[in-house]
Amino acid sequence: MPMSAFYDPDEALARVEADIAAAQERASAAQEVRAKIDEVRGVARSERGEVVAQVDPTGLLRDLELSDAATRLRADALSTLIVRTVRAAMQDASRQAVAIMDDAFGAGSAVSRQLQDELDQRMR
């Protein structure tokens, strides 16, 4: 059977191998991005330094420091200050995570926008 000018098995195989290599590179890059994001820690300090909060990219509180001045605040004022500071730390972690995605996949890429949307919803 004569070989058609439109079908070259060697060329088709080369395209498949190139596609596989590109997919493997994307998977490796995605793993590196995931590892970098897992290391992100958002940090925020209250205006007068009574509260310092540290969160991971999921918003999980990893550390909370209260100064001696914090213990002199009324309980409701301290709880409000803690919540505000934790939210600010979450925003910091979000900015860092999106920046990592932008670096890896391009600013404003679909994956960066999706991550930003998810983080925005989490903050609501």
Side-chain angles (χ1 to χ4, degrees), residues 63-104:
D63 192 26
L64 181 68
E65 297 174 21
L66 303 175
S67 71
D68 290 338
T71 63
R72 292 189 284 278
L73 296 171
R74 290 189 357 239
D76 62 334
L78 179 57
S79 64
T80 298
L81 191 58
I82 290 171
V83 169
R84 281 188 197 146
T85 306
V86 168
R87 286 183 65 80
M90 289 172 66
Q91 289 172 336
D92 180 47
S94 294
R95 280 190 297 273
Q96 291 180 55
V98 170
I100 289 168
M101 294 295 268
D102 283 346
D103 286 346

Side-chain angles (χ1 to χ4, degrees), residues 31-83:
Q31 288 175 341
E32 289 175 24
V33 167
R34 177 64 187 197
K36 287 179 184 178
I37 288 176
D38 286 345
E39 293 174 9
V40 165
R41 294 295 180 263
V43 179
R45 178 182 306 275
S46 63
E47 189 174 312
R48 293 182 303 229
E50 305 97 333
V51 177
V52 177
Q54 183 185 96
V55 300
D56 69 14
T58 68
L60 180 67
L61 186 62
R62 292 297 188 163
D63 192 26
L64 181 68
E65 297 174 21
L66 303 175
S67 71
D68 290 338
T71 63
R72 292 189 284 278
L73 296 171
R74 290 189 357 239
D76 62 334
L78 179 57
S79 64
T80 298
L81 191 58
I82 290 171
V83 169

Side-chain angles (χ1 to χ4, degrees), residues 20-36 104-105:
I20 290 170
Q24 288 171 332
E25 286 178 28
R26 286 190 302 272
S28 177
Q31 288 175 341
E32 289 175 24
V33 167
R34 177 64 187 197
K36 287 179 184 178
F105 301 106

